[in-house]
């Protein structure tokens, strides 16, 4: 089983739609969770950390289910500028260790 | 504020030639530093990480090496490039040990 699995998509949605991405991770010792956004041929950029109680940042909502080892990202009122690849990322709770990245889910928002 | 620089932005090198990619971080002290590679259509793969000057950990056996001669400088090298070394090389840093921030990357094509 891959460490972090994501549906690669692409998800093709119209502007204004709500879209959700899911991610599962295999290491139950993972303690930190993130969503990164990567535009074509650019570096990944931190979108948001994911907290146990779930958290929201504007149109973006992240949820964590530790029992199912599952993370989600919900985007409401999609904008053209949301088109990108969204990377699910987990980390064990040890300083200095690396992030484990999923391969990403591609979102395309059209007008 | 902290910034991370990488150069060059793009590089085309023949098989068998040497490689040196540089990464520097400004605005922070004693960061953890990371080298990742993203091959075409694949996820990010951790190559090396460093928790301090002269301290390098390698995640995968390969044709590459890394060095950290100064606190905020991280160098990726190869004596002889292979075709399979082509990819998008990303340097990242963290101060907290959790969220990582990426540089703009170097796109390497080995011909």
């Amino acid at each position: 089983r891959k460490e972090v699995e994501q549906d690669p998509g692409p998800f093709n949605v119209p502007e204004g739609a709500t879209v959700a991405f899911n991610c599962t991770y295999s290491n139950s010792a993972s303690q930190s969770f993130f969503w990164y956004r990567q535009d074509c041929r650019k570096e990944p950029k931190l979108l948001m950390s994911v907290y146990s109680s779930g958290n929201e940042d504007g149109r973006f909502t992240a949820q964590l289910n530790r029992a199912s080892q599952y993370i989600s990202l919900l985007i409401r009122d999609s904008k053209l500028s949301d088109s990108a690849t969204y990377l699910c990322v987990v980390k064990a709770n040890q300083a200095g260790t690396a992030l484990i990245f999923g391969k990403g889910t591609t979102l395309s928002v059209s007008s | 504020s902290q910034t991370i620089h990488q150069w060059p932005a793009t590089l085309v090198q023949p098989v068998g030639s040497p490689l040196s990619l540089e990464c520097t971080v400004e605005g922070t002290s004693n960061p953890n530093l990371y080298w990742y590679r993203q091959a075409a259509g694949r996820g990010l793969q951790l190559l090396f990480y460093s928790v301090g000057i002269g301290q390098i950990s390698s995640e995968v056996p390969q044709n590459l090496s890394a060095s950290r001669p100064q606190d905020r400088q991280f160098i990726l090298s190869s004596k002889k490039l292979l075709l399979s070394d082509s990819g998008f090389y990303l340097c990242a840093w963290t101060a907290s040990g959790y969220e990582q921030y990426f540089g703009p990357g170097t796109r390497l094509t080995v011909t």
Side-chain angles (χ1 to χ4, degrees), chain A:
Chain A
R1 182 181 175 186
K2 294 178 183 176
E3 292 189 80
V4 179
E5 292 199 64
Q6 296 182 251
D7 180 346
F11 285 62
N12 298 303
V13 303
E15 278 186 288
T18 295
V19 61
F21 306 139
N22 301 322
C23 165
T24 57
Y25 61 95
S26 60
N27 184 356
S28 59
S30 298
Q31 293 292 326
S32 301
F33 308 91
F34 311 94
W35 284 101
Y36 278 73
R37 168 194 171 128
Q38 186 173 23
D39 292 295
C40 187
R41 301 181 68 82
K42 297 288 187 180
E43 74 274 23
K45 294 186 177 177
L46 179 65
L47 179 65
M48 58 196 305
S49 300
V50 185
Y51 302 122
S52 296
S53 56
N55 49 300
E56 187 175 305
D57 182 0
R59 297 182 293 107
F60 299 85
T61 300
Q63 295 282 347
L64 169 64
N65 183 322
R66 286 185 186 273
S68 301
Q69 295 180 203
Y70 168 97
I71 306 161
S72 66
L73 177 68
L74 182 77
I75 305 175
R76 291 181 300 277
D77 188 23
S78 298
K79 312 291 185 190
L80 293 174
S81 57
D82 293 334
S83 298
T85 297
Y86 291 84
L87 306 173
C88 176
V89 184
V90 305
K91 185 181 185 302
N93 195 27
Q94 292 174 277
T97 58
L99 303 178
I100 306 298
F101 285 78
K103 291 187 177 180
T105 298
T106 299
L107 172 66
S108 178
V109 182
S110 57
S111 57

Side-chain angles (χ1 to χ4, degrees), chain B residues 4-108:
Chain B
I4 179 168
H5 303 279
Q6 281 187 251
W7 63 91
T10 59
L11 194 59
V12 180
Q13 293 282 101
V15 168
S17 63
L19 173 74
S20 181
L21 302 181
E22 189 164 343
C23 169
T24 59
V25 181
E26 295 178 357
T28 187
S29 296
N30 196 32
N32 291 342
L33 297 173
Y34 306 82
W35 278 112
Y36 291 86
R37 176 172 61 203
Q38 189 175 37
R42 304 184 69 176
L44 275 79
Q45 178 187 36
L46 178 68
L47 302 175
F48 301 95
Y49 70 91
S50 172
V51 299
I53 295 173
Q55 300 179 63
I56 308 294
S57 296
S58 174
E59 288 293 301
V60 293
Q62 60 211 311
N63 184 41
L64 302 167
S65 61
S67 62
R68 185 168 176 177
Q70 300 180 46
D71 181 45
R72 289 170 288 176
Q73 183 185 31
F74 205 21
I75 297 172
L76 183 70
S77 304
S78 174
K79 292 182 179 177
K80 289 186 178 182
L81 285 169
L82 306 172
L83 286 173
S84 58
D85 292 325
S86 294
F88 190 33
Y89 288 83
L90 292 154
C91 180
W93 73 275
T94 183
S96 67
Y98 294 96
E99 296 98 347
Q100 291 183 13
Y101 301 93
F102 287 85
T106 295
R107 199 163 294 278
L108 171 66

